[in-house]
Amino acid sequence: MDFVVAAYRADGAWHVAELKTSLGYDLEALGEALGRFRSDDGVFGLVSVDEDWFAILRREGIRTRMMLSDVTVVSESDLAGDVADAMDLREIDDDEDPQPGGDLDILSDVGISATVLVDVCDDDVAIPADLLLDLAERLGFADDLEEIID
């Protein structure tokens, strides 16, 4: 596990908090941890796993939306498997090309369309931390995220 963070807006400003990396192995515990933060438009959980893939969760009240940057990792990770089960994602063989899955509109209302999110996920050269920093830059909290993950 590379890192697990919560990012949320409160009073018009972004806040980023580092979470225990152990939460990146347990979808239920991660969802509960995100529920502790109060936000104007939901709390985002950003999980970077083994410099290989990432997950984004968005907790809004009792509802949690989720996406994976690569659904071919579902059989390799408890977190990815739990997200796939929760999202009822079709089973993908790990010999297929990497592809994002889940709620790809998870960031649409904060300025990142599903098309842009898919394009970011399709970058097969960058590591997940860099891809999440790219998304954070577009949203406005890259400096805070970079401080935590460096």
Side-chain angles (χ1 to χ4, degrees):
M1 193 67 50
D2 302 320
F3 62 84
V4 180
V5 300
Y8 59 98
R9 280 196 301 198
D11 301 321
W14 281 102
H15 304 273
V16 181
E18 185 173 16
L19 302 176
K20 295 178 186 177
T21 56
S22 61
L23 292 171
Y25 298 101
D26 186 338
L27 180 61
E28 185 176 335
L30 179 55
E32 288 174 15
L34 295 176
R36 294 184 188 120
F37 297 94
R38 297 292 165 240
S39 173
D40 300 336
D41 48 16
V43 178
F44 298 94
L46 309 176
V47 182
S48 176
V49 181
D50 301 330
E51 295 188 359
D52 189 30
W53 60 276
F54 67 85
I56 299 175
L57 284 72
R58 184 174 185 179
R59 177 83 187 249
E60 300 167 297
I62 60 169
R63 180 177 176 219
T64 303
R65 300 166 63 188
M66 298 165 264
M67 67 82 54
L68 297 171
S69 66
D70 179 7
V71 294
T72 65
V73 301
V74 166
S75 64
E76 301 169 17
S77 162
D78 289 341
L79 178 66
D82 290 347
V83 169
D85 289 345
M87 298 294 299
D88 199 26
L89 297 176
R90 71 176 182 87
E91 196 165 320
I92 302 287
D93 291 330
D94 60 0
D95 60 347
E96 290 188 43
D97 289 335
Q99 55 188 288
D103 185 350
L104 300 178
D105 285 314
I106 195 167
L107 303 174
S108 291
D109 66 319
V110 290
I112 298 176
S113 69
T115 303
V116 170
L117 185 55
V118 168
D119 286 345
V120 168
C121 292
D122 282 344
D123 184 335
D124 58 353
V125 176
I127 61 171
D130 292 339
L131 300 177
L132 289 170
L133 278 169
D134 178 16
L135 295 171
E137 179 71 35
R138 296 168 192 253
L139 294 171
F141 61 89
D143 290 342
D144 294 331
L145 179 60
E146 192 166 27
E147 260 183 52
I148 289 173
I149 64 176
D150 276 347

